[in-house]
């Protein structure tokens, strides 16, 4: 019989030190392709394969939420043929993942503005979301045409509408009110924010929700992100001392100094 250590490489990390919610800025598809002498779109194709693999792995690890930055509200600035290919990939992914989504009991949510996304892509997305509605496993949150500032604008508009209709008083607005009007309403904030391809920036991702997320950046590009890299990120997170403005956790300090 293989030991637990061999079957689960993270078995030494207790559940409370694992991230319940991992958010990923999947970057570097183009650079990866360029380094292989391939067109950028092949980088996106490989990136989509990584998405499939990571979703399965995170679900198997018991992660509660996986939030993936698929397309930013700024990515429309890219050449039309690249955008078209990304839309094609997205549609293909959403259709072919229905089986695995149902098998793994995943719940799917879209974060972002629906406008500008082609209707046929939205239709497939809605079908998948509807199909997975009664599932109870990991949340797979797909950030598509997503911008953190735009999300806050949408929330402020909705809240202002309620104030105008006199169903909400300005004094009643709290942090919870704002959180309830974001695309992520009802979902817990990310614990761990991963960015691939080495860039030290958040690129308009989940600006409100990452206020206390632990950030982990790898030089690896998204198409080469694998199980080992995922474990590396989770281990790095487990070794962090989250203080939320308080004082260091004494128990963690003692363990670290031993
Ligand atoms: C991330 O890879 C995918 C999307 C933003 C859609 P990039 O396409 O940004 O790859 P690089 O950063 O140019 O290498
Ligand atoms: C962030 O990557 C958006 C996604 C991963 C979808 P970008 O490649 O768009 O970010 P910048 O332009 O380098 O900041
Ligand atoms: Mg990029």
């Amino acid at each position: 019989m293989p030991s637990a250590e061999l079957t689960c490489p993270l078995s030494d990390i207790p559940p409370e030190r694992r991230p319940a919610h991992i958010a990923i800025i999947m970057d570097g598809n183009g650079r990866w392709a360029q380094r292989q002498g391939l067109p950028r779109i092949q980088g996106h194709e490989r990136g989509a394969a990584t998405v499939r693999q990571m979703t399965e792995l995170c679900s198997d690890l018991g992660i509660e939420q996986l939030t993936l930055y698929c397309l930013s509200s700024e990515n429309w600035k890219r050449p039309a043929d690249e955008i078209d290919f990304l839309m094609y990939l997205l549609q293909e992914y959403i259709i072919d993942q229905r089986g695995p989504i149902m098998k793994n009991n995943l719940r799917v949510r879209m974060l972002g503005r629906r406008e500008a996304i082609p209707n046929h892509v939205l239709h497939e997305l809605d079908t998948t979301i509807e199909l997975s509605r009664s599932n109870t496993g990991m949340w797979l949150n797909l950030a598509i045409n997503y911008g953190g500032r735009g999300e806050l604008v949408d929330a402020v508009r909705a809240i202002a509408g309620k104030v105008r209709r006199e169903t909400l008083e300005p004094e009643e607005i709290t942090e919870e009110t704002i959180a309830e009007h974001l695309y992520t309403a009802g979902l817990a904030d990310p614990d761990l924010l991963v960015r691939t391809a080495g860039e030290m920036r958040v690129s308009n991702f989940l600006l409100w929700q990452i206020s206390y997320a632990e950030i982990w950046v790898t030089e690896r590009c998204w198409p080469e992100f694998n199980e080992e890299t995922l474990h590396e990120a989770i281990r790095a997170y487990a070794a962090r001392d989250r203080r939320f403005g308080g004082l260091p956790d004494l128990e963690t300090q003692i363990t670290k100094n031993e």
Side-chain angles (χ1 to χ4, degrees), residues 6-19:
L6 280 176
T7 49
C8 178
L10 295 175
S11 56
D12 56 316
I13 301 177
E16 67 277 11
R17 293 208 70 84
R18 297 180 187 205

Side-chain angles (χ1 to χ4, degrees), residues 206-224:
L206 301 175
L207 299 181
W208 174 275
Q209 298 88 338
I210 60 167
S211 61
Y212 266 105
E214 294 295 326
I215 302 175
W216 187 78
V217 177
T218 173
E219 287 301 319
R220 276 182 177 238
C221 289
W222 181 245
E224 53 199 6

Side-chain angles (χ1 to χ4, degrees), residues 25-252:
I25 302 175
M26 311 181 290
D27 199 14
N29 290 352
R31 274 165 280 175
W32 177 84
Q34 202 172 17
R35 278 182 214 140
Q36 323 293 314
L38 299 169
R40 290 180 57 84
I41 58 166
Q42 289 206 25
H44 295 314
E45 202 153 37
R46 281 293 295 265
T50 309
V51 168
R52 291 173 172 88
Q53 190 199 5
M54 284 309 126
T55 306
E56 183 106 29
L57 286 172
C58 286
S59 167
D60 288 351
L61 282 171
I63 302 291
E64 289 169 24
Q65 287 191 66
L66 177 65
T67 301
L68 301 174
Y69 205 2
C70 304
L71 190 82
S72 79
S73 47
E74 287 72 35
N75 287 145
W76 303 104
K77 293 174 192 160
R78 296 186 180 201
D81 57 351
E82 181 165 341
I83 294 291
D84 288 349
F85 189 76
L86 286 170
M87 287 301 135
Y88 158 77
L89 263 188
L90 187 58
Q91 184 172 1
E92 194 186 48
Y93 162 79
I94 288 159
I95 297 171
D96 79 33
Q97 285 303 285
R98 280 180 195 144
I101 283 168
M102 296 312 289
K103 187 185 96 194
N104 293 310
N105 193 24
L106 307 184
R107 289 175 279 188
V108 182
R109 185 149 168 164
M110 181 209 158
L111 313 178
R113 284 190 183 157
R114 291 170 68 87
E115 65 202 38
I117 302 173
N119 278 336
H120 57 95
V121 178
L122 282 176
H123 171 75
E124 300 300 347
L125 195 54
D126 290 343
T127 306
T128 302
I129 291 170
E130 196 48 47
L131 190 70
S132 72
R133 195 169 291 283
S134 309
N135 288 349
T136 54
M138 184 179 83
W139 274 107
L140 175 61
N141 305 315
L142 302 172
I144 303 165
N145 189 20
Y146 175 88
R149 287 186 169 188
E151 179 182 36
L152 286 166
V153 168
D154 290 348
V156 171
R157 280 183 187 156
I159 294 168
K162 289 184 180 173
V163 171
R164 189 174 57 188
R165 292 191 298 278
E166 297 182 0
T167 56
L168 185 69
E169 292 296 325
E171 299 72 32
E172 289 169 351
I173 299 170
T174 60
E175 290 188 9
E176 285 71 31
T177 316
I178 295 173
E180 280 161 18
H181 289 82
L182 299 175
Y183 308 141
T184 49
L187 301 175
D189 289 341
D191 299 300
L192 170 64
L193 173 68
V194 170
R195 182 162 187 149
T196 59
E199 239 68 74
M200 297 288 185
R201 54 178 175 256
V202 292
S203 301
N204 207 12
F205 192 41
L206 301 175
L207 299 181
W208 174 275
Q209 298 88 338
I210 60 167
S211 61
Y212 266 105
E214 294 295 326
I215 302 175
W216 187 78
V217 177
T218 173
E219 287 301 319
R220 276 182 177 238
C221 289
W222 181 245
E224 53 199 6
F225 195 94
N226 58 21
E227 186 170 14
E228 204 179 41
T229 335
L230 176 69
H231 292 171
E232 207 185 317
I234 294 173
R235 283 194 178 282
Y237 172 85
R240 300 276 177 93
D241 179 20
R242 298 185 83 186
R243 296 186 205 154
F244 300 99
L247 293 176
D249 176 356
L250 198 59
E251 227 171 85
T252 315

